[in-house]
Every structure is written in C-alpha cells, then in structure tokens.
Amino acid sequence: MTISIQNIIPVIHATIHGHTNEGVVNHVSIDSRSLLNAEGTLFFALKGSRNNGHHYIPQLLEQGVRFFVVSEMPQDTKNATFFVVSDTLEALQKLAAYYRTLFSFPVIGITGSNGKTIIKEWLNFLLSPDYNIVRSPKSYNSQVGVPLSILGMNEMHNFGIFEAGISTVNEMDKLEEIIRPSIGILSNIGSAHDEGFENTSQKALEKWKLFKHSEVVIFKKDKTFENLLALNTQEKFTWSFEKNDNASVWVTTHESSVGTELTFYHQNSNLSVIIPFTDKASIENTIHCVMVLLYFKYPVDTIQKRVAALYPVEMRLKVKNGVNNTSLIDDSYSSDYQSLKIALDFLEHQKLHTNKTIILSDIYQSGLPVTDLYHRVSQLIIANKINRVFTIGEVISGYKHLFPNAIGFSSTNDFLNQMEHLHFQNETILVKGARDFQFEKIVTALEEKTHETVLEINLNALSNNLNYFKSKLKPQTKMMVMVKAFGYGNGGFEIAKLLEHHKVDYLGVAFADEGIELKTLGIELPIIVMNPESTAFEAMIQNKLEPEIYSIRGLQSFIKILESKEIYHYPIHIKFDTGMHRLGFEQNNMLELLAILKNTSCVKIASILSHLACSDDRNETEFTLHQIQLFENLSTQLITTLQINPIRHILNSSGISNFPEAQYNMVRLGVGLYGISSNEEEQKYLENVGTLKSIISQIRTIEAGESVGYNRRFKASSKTKIATIPIGYADGISRHWGYERGYVTINGKKAPIVGSICMDMLMVNCTNIECKEGQEVVIFGENPSIKYMAKELQTISYEIMTSISKRVKRVFYRE
Ligand SMILES: *Cc1c(COP(=O)(O)O)cnc(C)c1O
C-alpha cells in the first residue's frame, strides 16, 4: 500500500498540525508493537472504552514514526505531523473505504455466526492456483480488523476474500462500505452475539447488509429468512440438504470410514467429493466453498482434486516449550506475507528470549514479483531484529543473502537431517511454513517431550477480562494486578508481560521470590510484595521490589537496612487491618507508627491499603462498609499528620464490582482477571482463561460386575466403556472429584470420572461417547467450568486454579 499524505487529508477530514503535509505512507499501524519501517508508518491512535492509542505516541515518536492520526494533540510533538480528527476509528474506516475504491477485482465477503475464518482460509487454498489473493489475516473481521485487512490490498492482487463480523445492529453498513463484496457468503446464523440483537431475523437482516451491492449471495436455503428478503434483488445461489427445498444445489452426505462423501446435485449433473471430516461445521464450511467453485463453473475433476486436499485450519498461534530452553511459536500451516507479519508481531509480543530465530519456507501468494517479495520479507525480518534465519525451499534459499545470519536448505528433510548441528538453545523460534513443507515435523522435532497434559492460557481472554474491569473504574483510578501464586496458577511471567503492555500501574505478588523471578526475567513494572519476610528485605531492595509493611517490627527492620545502605525515600506500602485480622496495623499502633515515620527519611509512603474480608458477600455489606469507614479514618490520620499524598486502595476484584464508591486512587484486581466473578451477571462478561486438557491413553470395555481402579470403588452394572486419562491428584485434581461426582468432556460430551482418582491417572465412563485413543479430553475450561468444580467440591475457584501442579505444561495462545 502506498498513499500520499495529500490524498489522505481530504478522505479522513483531518486538520493538520505540524511539520509537513507532504510524503507518502506505506504502512498503517494501530499497535505500537508492530512497527515495520517507522518512517512510512501512519499510526492511528484508536481510543477504545479501555485502551487508548494516544498513550503510545511518545514511545512511537522515539522510534521515529512521523505521521499520526489523533483525536487529541499530544504535548510533545517532536517535529512529527498530526492529523486531528474527531474519531480516529472512523478515520481509519474512511481511509480503508477510499482505498477499496482503487481496486476493481472480484471480492468475496463472508459473514455469519461461525465458520467465517475457515471458509476464507479454505477458499484461499482452493482458488490460489488461479489468482493472486489478498485476504483478511487470521480473523481480522471487526470494525478495526476489516479496514486493516483492506489496506493490505496492492496492485498485484486480482482477487480478495474478506470476512466481516458484527456484534450489534448498525455495524454492517460500515463494513459493507469498506469490503464492497461482489460475491457474498452467509455462512450461517447461530446464536453467537445474540445479546446484541432483538431476535434472529434482526440479526440475519443486519448481516445481509454486507451484500447490498453484491451480484450474488451464497447461503443455505432458509424459508423464513427468504421471506424477509423478498425485496432484495441480488441473485441467490442457495443449497439445501432437502431435495424438495428448491435450492439451486441439493447436497447429500454419507459418512464413511475415511470421512464424509458429499454429493452435489446441480443443473442436471452431480459431483461427489470426499473430505476427511465428519463434523457438521466442517461439512457446511466445505459446502460453502464448493458452492463458490460451482458458481465459477470450475470443472468437476478440478473441484474434486482441490477439495480432497483440504486440511484443518489452525486458527491461532501457540507458544510451546522447546528443547534446550527454547520457546516455539508454531505457525506451520501458512506462509504468506500478511500472516508472516502477524506471526512476527506475535513473536515480538512474547519477548520470551532476547534471541529470536525464524525458520521460514518459500512464501506463496504475495501478489508481488518474487524479488520484491523477498526484499520486503527481509525488511520485515530486519525490523523485527531476528538474529538467525533458516530458509527452507529452493526459492527463498536463493535470496538468503538478504537475511541476517541465514542458512538455506532445499527441503524440510534436508533441514531435519542437519538439525542437531544448528544448536537451538535459549531462544524463541518462529516456525512458519506453507502447508506442503510439512513444518509440523520440525515442530515435533524441536518440541520438548513432556506428557500430554497441558493448561492452555488464552491471552485474549485475559486482555478482555482486564479491560472489563478497567471499564468499571473512574478514568483516574490506577490498577494493580495480583499475579501471586504464579498468576493464580496460570503463569507468572507471560501474564506479567501482557499486563505490562496494557500499562497497569502495579503488580502484586505474595512473596519476594515471586517478585525477584519477574524482575530477573525483565518485568519493569513496580511490584509490591504482600507478605515480605524480614530475611528477604536485602534481596528485595536489590531487585527494586516494594514491601507492604504491616507491623512495627517489620517497619523498624526495613528502615534499619535502608539506613545501613544510606538509601532514602524507598517506596513502601502501609497496610491497615480493618477487620480481616490477618496482617496490618491497627488504631493502637498509630502513635508509634507515626513517631517512627516522622523520624525517618529512609522510606516514602507510596500507598496505604487494607483488605476486605467479604466483598463478595452481599449479606455482609454492613461489615464491609464498616471496614471501608475504618480505612478512611486510619488512612486519613496518617495522611494529615504526615502531610503526605499517597495512593489509597482497598478493593479486590469483587470489591470493584460491589463497592465501586470505594475505589480511592487504585484497586487490586485478582481472580477477576482470570475469568471468575462472584456475581452471575458479571460472569457473563468475563471469558474463560485456562483450559486444562489431556488425552485418552487407553480405551477398554468391561462387563457388568467388573470393577475399575484402586479398591474397586466403581463396579459396572452393565457393559461399560472406560477411558484412562494421564492426569491425577499429583497434577492437582482433587480425589473428591472422582467417584462419579466429577466429569471430563470428550467430544463435547460429559464422561463421569469413575472410581478413585490415582496419583497420575484417572478413568472415565465413556460408554455413550464416540472417542478413540489419543483423542483430546477437557478436564476443565468452558465445561466443566472451574466455578462449577469449586461449587461441587465445596471450595473456591482460587483453590482449583492454584492447585494445578507445575509439572503441567502451560501453553499460551492468542486467538
Ligand atoms: C489476593 C489479593 C487481592 C486480590 O483478590 P481477588 O479476590 O483475587 O481479587 C487483593 N489484595 C490482596 C491483599 C490480596 O492478597
């Protein structure tokens, strides 16, 4: 993309402030982390209800960005040029809509409740032999994602495939203007985002708006819906499983041992394809893709050949632990310029190791001449400060001189044969290759071999939950996030890193060790240690950790150490006990506390805090209000006597929800970040963060009267199918969850845990569930939820989360 500044100004209706109104931009960015070439970047400072791009401007100025679209002028402008608009998102959308008008090739627009991304990826695969396709990267289908996708178009493309997702009324008009699809696909109308609409027909009609200017729309025949559409004039190319529906195409399905055979009856001819899937979603997604090929009048044998090669789409990037303390980012199914950009962004966000390596195959479908393409790839790789590059494939290896420390291989096997000499260690490795290079072999070879149980952490869900709580705060209220106990069992460093990006104000840990680990790994946010032991004070000072001080003894010993080191104004946090009766000063300590504090300049009171005992319990409101009142009194005495102006904070997660008037200047978010609320209404807005998964090791069938496990605590009353799963109480699954009280989910169905849970294994009854050995099993996540388990086990979610043992591998991913 290349647009001159002169062209942009009238499109986005900006007033210009600053240095110049000349120049061209060739990259649009909304995220400070994904800078390519700073000079040619136009940064849109988007302002969400929770995050504000304007905050990143000083840092971007440092990095050399010169063009900004803003809704408020920053204080320091460093000779850069600012386009001031009233709404930066609208400006981005207008720019994309304008940019779209510069291209006239066919564009497919996909919307619907499910399947959009898979249909898009599959169509890309099916059509790519004949076109240079530009498509939405990953699932960029939102009000922000769609314009960014469109801005990825360039003069070499001759076909576009974009997805559009909406969550409420009146959003589609904007996306329609930006995508302007000539061919529409409505994948289906499910229940996703129902809350944003009055009823299903309203939702369906809103989605249909994407096709306002399309020549044809492909969808599954639906009578009620078509009645609503009676007046619309687009050609409708429909399909149905029912012969007498009079759809344009009738489809039958037949399940076999290798997958599903689909037969399409269309205009007196028919066509059969076999796909390696049997689930309803994959079948419908395939049908939508075949409908496009039929619409384009592809020959039967071409359709059969291409559809037979469809593959499962990996929708997200995963970080895995690799050999020799490496981290692997597995993106082994696609290779195109857009997705390379995303993968490099992801790599940059992770910042797990300083050294970064990429293993990269030939790149397809860029729409650019090969030499141009690899020059751009080289720019991208250099801008992302990649230390080593391994190129695999004849084409890319011909350009390896463009990359830093590059070694070229002609094939994946060639690389695998030499892998042991390549010394992978202490680095993050991005593995990115086109499907036919079979890079999954490389991932398997580099992956650390552990047992198959993993706790998957959804980083998007964490961001969502953080933003939800941010939205409950007054704009000036600061936020501290508790990452004690290894981020409530979910991972300390990775989560701290994410919180740092989101610019929270403080992190909280329980013990000095936890804080030292985070600081050692490079976390820069201030960290408060909640239960500092005097023996750890020295180490805390060395690592710039800030202690919570809760007793005269602790205060005196901390001051003594500071005096001996001649350190002044060291930040500390004074804790009052207002009713929890765990840690903290009380009224009767006040005189002594004041006397000590008046006589020292070694410490500075950065904040005053207290902790609520029952902010989640509506029956104890009076007690909580009393705690808040007492905190007000005690903290005020300190503030007025010492003439100081510290931060005050008392609310934990449920306090934020139930006592918003007591926000003071900061809150301490804990369990809510991890997706748990004590309030049912609020729970709906939080997303599940952790999913504990394992696999089936073995399946057997036992007869009536036979038993399972230690002490024969389960006896079958009839023929029963039993699956063994390699996770037990040593992994943190309570034995009380056995004896058919608890269950796991296999294939979306409940399989009760039978008999006693063993140390490293448990057995489930899967009699009525279709499953096979090696198949995935969900121990907790969406279903059963941690909250449900906690209730059944008469404990609290905190205990379930923090019990998962360290031997369970944590895998972090972003959607
Ligand atoms: C753990 C903790 C919190 C967070 O509590 P949640 O209920 O998880 O939100 C807040 N303050 C202190 C002092 C804590 O120890």
Side-chain angles (χ1 to χ4, degrees), residues 321-340:
N321 291 335
V323 294
N324 304 330
N325 188 33
T326 54
S327 304
L328 302 178
I329 298 176
D330 177 3
D331 196 6
S332 53
Y333 284 103
S334 66
S335 141
D336 54 86
Y337 184 75
Q338 283 291 340
S339 74
L340 175 64

PDB file of all heavy atoms in Angstrom, residues 321-340:
ATOM      1  N   ASN A 321       6.856 -25.113  24.658  1.00  0.00           N
ATOM      2  CA  ASN A 321       8.210 -25.220  25.186  1.00  0.00           C
ATOM      3  C   ASN A 321       9.027 -26.107  24.276  1.00  0.00           C
ATOM      4  O   ASN A 321       8.590 -27.201  23.925  1.00  0.00           O
ATOM      5  CB  ASN A 321       8.198 -25.807  26.587  1.00  0.00           C
ATOM      6  CG  ASN A 321       7.590 -24.831  27.574  1.00  0.00           C
ATOM      7  OD1 ASN A 321       7.610 -23.622  27.331  1.00  0.00           O
ATOM      8  ND2 ASN A 321       7.048 -25.348  28.650  1.00  0.00           N
ATOM      9  N   GLY A 322      10.203 -25.629  23.903  1.00  0.00           N
ATOM     10  CA  GLY A 322      11.055 -26.420  23.027  1.00  0.00           C
ATOM     11  C   GLY A 322      12.238 -26.998  23.771  1.00  0.00           C
ATOM     12  O   GLY A 322      12.414 -26.754  24.971  1.00  0.00           O
ATOM     13  N   VAL A 323      13.057 -27.731  23.048  1.00  0.00           N
ATOM     14  CA  VAL A 323      14.258 -28.320  23.641  1.00  0.00           C
ATOM     15  C   VAL A 323      15.210 -27.212  24.091  1.00  0.00           C
ATOM     16  O   VAL A 323      15.152 -26.094  23.586  1.00  0.00           O
ATOM     17  CB  VAL A 323      14.980 -29.227  22.617  1.00  0.00           C
ATOM     18  CG1 VAL A 323      14.127 -30.442  22.287  1.00  0.00           C
ATOM     19  CG2 VAL A 323      15.298 -28.445  21.340  1.00  0.00           C
ATOM     20  N   ASN A 324      16.093 -27.525  25.005  1.00  0.00           N
ATOM     21  CA  ASN A 324      17.147 -26.597  25.462  1.00  0.00           C
ATOM     22  C   ASN A 324      16.643 -25.203  25.800  1.00  0.00           C
ATOM     23  O   ASN A 324      17.189 -24.204  25.346  1.00  0.00           O
ATOM     24  CB  ASN A 324      18.247 -26.444  24.396  1.00  0.00           C
ATOM     25  CG  ASN A 324      18.844 -27.774  24.017  1.00  0.00           C
ATOM     26  OD1 ASN A 324      18.885 -28.683  24.847  1.00  0.00           O
ATOM     27  ND2 ASN A 324      19.260 -27.903  22.771  1.00  0.00           N
ATOM     28  N   ASN A 325      15.597 -25.147  26.564  1.00  0.00           N
ATOM     29  CA  ASN A 325      15.061 -23.859  26.996  1.00  0.00           C
ATOM     30  C   ASN A 325      14.747 -22.925  25.825  1.00  0.00           C
ATOM     31  O   ASN A 325      15.014 -21.736  25.868  1.00  0.00           O
ATOM     32  CB  ASN A 325      16.041 -23.183  27.972  1.00  0.00           C
ATOM     33  CG  ASN A 325      15.441 -21.946  28.598  1.00  0.00           C
ATOM     34  OD1 ASN A 325      14.222 -21.899  28.832  1.00  0.00           O
ATOM     35  ND2 ASN A 325      16.246 -20.932  28.837  1.00  0.00           N
ATOM     36  N   THR A 326      14.181 -23.444  24.779  1.00  0.00           N
ATOM     37  CA  THR A 326      13.696 -22.580  23.705  1.00  0.00           C
ATOM     38  C   THR A 326      12.178 -22.482  23.814  1.00  0.00           C
ATOM     39  O   THR A 326      11.544 -23.288  24.498  1.00  0.00           O
ATOM     40  CB  THR A 326      14.033 -23.154  22.313  1.00  0.00           C
ATOM     41  OG1 THR A 326      13.525 -24.498  22.244  1.00  0.00           O
ATOM     42  CG2 THR A 326      15.518 -23.162  22.069  1.00  0.00           C
ATOM     43  N   SER A 327      11.619 -21.462  23.175  1.00  0.00           N
ATOM     44  CA  SER A 327      10.166 -21.368  23.061  1.00  0.00           C
ATOM     45  C   SER A 327       9.845 -21.439  21.575  1.00  0.00           C
ATOM     46  O   SER A 327      10.507 -20.783  20.771  1.00  0.00           O
ATOM     47  CB  SER A 327       9.661 -20.048  23.611  1.00  0.00           C
ATOM     48  OG  SER A 327      10.097 -19.898  24.932  1.00  0.00           O
ATOM     49  N   LEU A 328       8.839 -22.227  21.248  1.00  0.00           N
ATOM     50  CA  LEU A 328       8.488 -22.385  19.831  1.00  0.00           C
ATOM     51  C   LEU A 328       7.175 -21.695  19.560  1.00  0.00           C
ATOM     52  O   LEU A 328       6.223 -21.857  20.313  1.00  0.00           O
ATOM     53  CB  LEU A 328       8.273 -23.860  19.492  1.00  0.00           C
ATOM     54  CG  LEU A 328       9.410 -24.811  19.747  1.00  0.00           C
ATOM     55  CD1 LEU A 328       8.964 -26.224  19.375  1.00  0.00           C
ATOM     56  CD2 LEU A 328      10.587 -24.394  18.892  1.00  0.00           C
ATOM     57  N   ILE A 329       7.141 -20.934  18.482  1.00  0.00           N
ATOM     58  CA  ILE A 329       5.859 -20.422  18.023  1.00  0.00           C
ATOM     59  C   ILE A 329       5.513 -21.208  16.779  1.00  0.00           C
ATOM     60  O   ILE A 329       6.236 -21.179  15.786  1.00  0.00           O
ATOM     61  CB  ILE A 329       5.933 -18.920  17.748  1.00  0.00           C
ATOM     62  CG1 ILE A 329       6.271 -18.207  19.052  1.00  0.00           C
ATOM     63  CG2 ILE A 329       4.610 -18.424  17.188  1.00  0.00           C
ATOM     64  CD1 ILE A 329       6.470 -16.726  18.901  1.00  0.00           C
ATOM     65  N   ASP A 330       4.429 -21.956  16.882  1.00  0.00           N
ATOM     66  CA  ASP A 330       4.097 -22.908  15.835  1.00  0.00           C
ATOM     67  C   ASP A 330       3.107 -22.266  14.876  1.00  0.00           C
ATOM     68  O   ASP A 330       1.953 -22.059  15.198  1.00  0.00           O
ATOM     69  CB  ASP A 330       3.485 -24.149  16.506  1.00  0.00           C
ATOM     70  CG  ASP A 330       3.030 -25.168  15.474  1.00  0.00           C
ATOM     71  OD1 ASP A 330       3.237 -24.943  14.275  1.00  0.00           O
ATOM     72  OD2 ASP A 330       2.478 -26.193  15.900  1.00  0.00           O
ATOM     73  N   ASP A 331       3.584 -21.951  13.681  1.00  0.00           N
ATOM     74  CA  ASP A 331       2.678 -21.419  12.666  1.00  0.00           C
ATOM     75  C   ASP A 331       2.994 -22.189  11.386  1.00  0.00           C
ATOM     76  O   ASP A 331       3.377 -21.635  10.371  1.00  0.00           O
ATOM     77  CB  ASP A 331       2.917 -19.913  12.488  1.00  0.00           C
ATOM     78  CG  ASP A 331       1.760 -19.251  11.743  1.00  0.00           C
ATOM     79  OD1 ASP A 331       0.758 -19.919  11.481  1.00  0.00           O
ATOM     80  OD2 ASP A 331       1.878 -18.060  11.414  1.00  0.00           O
ATOM     81  N   SER A 332       2.822 -23.513  11.495  1.00  0.00           N
ATOM     82  CA  SER A 332       3.355 -24.366  10.442  1.00  0.00           C
ATOM     83  C   SER A 332       2.354 -24.652   9.331  1.00  0.00           C
ATOM     84  O   SER A 332       2.534 -25.564   8.574  1.00  0.00           O
ATOM     85  CB  SER A 332       3.867 -25.666  11.049  1.00  0.00           C
ATOM     86  OG  SER A 332       2.880 -26.258  11.836  1.00  0.00           O
ATOM     87  N   TYR A 333       1.288 -23.873   9.229  1.00  0.00           N
ATOM     88  CA  TYR A 333       0.313 -24.177   8.195  1.00  0.00           C
ATOM     89  C   TYR A 333       0.134 -23.093   7.154  1.00  0.00           C
ATOM     90  O   TYR A 333      -0.672 -23.225   6.260  1.00  0.00           O
ATOM     91  CB  TYR A 333      -1.051 -24.486   8.805  1.00  0.00           C
ATOM     92  CG  TYR A 333      -1.096 -25.847   9.416  1.00  0.00           C
ATOM     93  CD1 TYR A 333      -1.012 -26.013  10.789  1.00  0.00           C
ATOM     94  CD2 TYR A 333      -1.200 -26.968   8.603  1.00  0.00           C
ATOM     95  CE1 TYR A 333      -1.042 -27.270  11.351  1.00  0.00           C
ATOM     96  CE2 TYR A 333      -1.230 -28.229   9.163  1.00  0.00           C
ATOM     97  CZ  TYR A 333      -1.151 -28.375  10.535  1.00  0.00           C
ATOM     98  OH  TYR A 333      -1.176 -29.617  11.087  1.00  0.00           O
ATOM     99  N   SER A 334       0.808 -21.982   7.288  1.00  0.00           N
ATOM    100  CA  SER A 334       0.572 -20.984   6.264  1.00  0.00           C
ATOM    101  C   SER A 334       1.826 -20.190   6.026  1.00  0.00           C
ATOM    102  O   SER A 334       2.667 -20.051   6.904  1.00  0.00           O
ATOM    103  CB  SER A 334      -0.543 -20.041   6.684  1.00  0.00           C
ATOM    104  OG  SER A 334      -0.129 -19.292   7.789  1.00  0.00           O
ATOM    105  N   SER A 335       1.932 -19.698   4.835  1.00  0.00           N
ATOM    106  CA  SER A 335       3.082 -18.887   4.530  1.00  0.00           C
ATOM    107  C   SER A 335       2.647 -17.867   3.496  1.00  0.00           C
ATOM    108  O   SER A 335       2.491 -18.164   2.340  1.00  0.00           O
ATOM    109  CB  SER A 335       4.177 -19.783   3.978  1.00  0.00           C
ATOM    110  OG  SER A 335       4.830 -19.140   2.939  1.00  0.00           O
ATOM    111  N   ASP A 336       2.362 -16.688   3.933  1.00  0.00           N
ATOM    112  CA  ASP A 336       2.120 -15.586   3.029  1.00  0.00           C
ATOM    113  C   ASP A 336       2.563 -14.347   3.771  1.00  0.00           C
ATOM    114  O   ASP A 336       2.775 -14.377   4.977  1.00  0.00           O
ATOM    115  CB  ASP A 336       0.641 -15.508   2.623  1.00  0.00           C
ATOM    116  CG  ASP A 336      -0.249 -15.464   3.812  1.00  0.00           C
ATOM    117  OD1 ASP A 336      -0.486 -14.361   4.325  1.00  0.00           O
ATOM    118  OD2 ASP A 336      -0.691 -16.532   4.287  1.00  0.00           O
ATOM    119  N   TYR A 337       2.675 -13.266   3.047  1.00  0.00           N
ATOM    120  CA  TYR A 337       3.286 -12.071   3.616  1.00  0.00           C
ATOM    121  C   TYR A 337       2.499 -11.541   4.814  1.00  0.00           C
ATOM    122  O   TYR A 337       3.048 -11.240   5.863  1.00  0.00           O
ATOM    123  CB  TYR A 337       3.402 -11.016   2.510  1.00  0.00           C
ATOM    124  CG  TYR A 337       4.112  -9.774   2.954  1.00  0.00           C
ATOM    125  CD1 TYR A 337       5.487  -9.767   3.119  1.00  0.00           C
ATOM    126  CD2 TYR A 337       3.391  -8.615   3.211  1.00  0.00           C
ATOM    127  CE1 TYR A 337       6.145  -8.631   3.538  1.00  0.00           C
ATOM    128  CE2 TYR A 337       4.052  -7.473   3.627  1.00  0.00           C
ATOM    129  CZ  TYR A 337       5.423  -7.481   3.786  1.00  0.00           C
ATOM    130  OH  TYR A 337       6.056  -6.357   4.207  1.00  0.00           O
ATOM    131  N   GLN A 338       1.154 -11.455   4.652  1.00  0.00           N
ATOM    132  CA  GLN A 338       0.318 -10.921   5.736  1.00  0.00           C
ATOM    133  C   GLN A 338       0.476 -11.749   7.011  1.00  0.00           C
ATOM    134  O   GLN A 338       0.620 -11.214   8.102  1.00  0.00           O
ATOM    135  CB  GLN A 338      -1.163 -10.961   5.328  1.00  0.00           C
ATOM    136  CG  GLN A 338      -1.575  -9.878   4.372  1.00  0.00           C
ATOM    137  CD  GLN A 338      -1.562  -8.511   5.029  1.00  0.00           C
ATOM    138  OE1 GLN A 338      -1.610  -8.385   6.249  1.00  0.00           O
ATOM    139  NE2 GLN A 338      -1.457  -7.479   4.230  1.00  0.00           N
ATOM    140  N   SER A 339       0.387 -13.056   6.864  1.00  0.00           N
ATOM    141  CA  SER A 339       0.415 -13.860   8.078  1.00  0.00           C
ATOM    142  C   SER A 339       1.828 -13.897   8.660  1.00  0.00           C
ATOM    143  O   SER A 339       1.996 -14.079   9.863  1.00  0.00           O
ATOM    144  CB  SER A 339      -0.154 -15.251   7.822  1.00  0.00           C
ATOM    145  OG  SER A 339       0.743 -16.029   7.088  1.00  0.00           O
ATOM    146  N   LEU A 340       2.826 -13.687   7.830  1.00  0.00           N
ATOM    147  CA  LEU A 340       4.189 -13.581   8.360  1.00  0.00           C
ATOM    148  C   LEU A 340       4.289 -12.350   9.268  1.00  0.00           C
ATOM    149  O   LEU A 340       4.870 -12.374  10.345  1.00  0.00           O
ATOM    150  CB  LEU A 340       5.199 -13.481   7.212  1.00  0.00           C
ATOM    151  CG  LEU A 340       6.656 -13.255   7.637  1.00  0.00           C
ATOM    152  CD1 LEU A 340       7.176 -14.444   8.448  1.00  0.00           C
ATOM    153  CD2 LEU A 340       7.560 -13.008   6.445  1.00  0.00           C
TER     154      LEU A 340
END
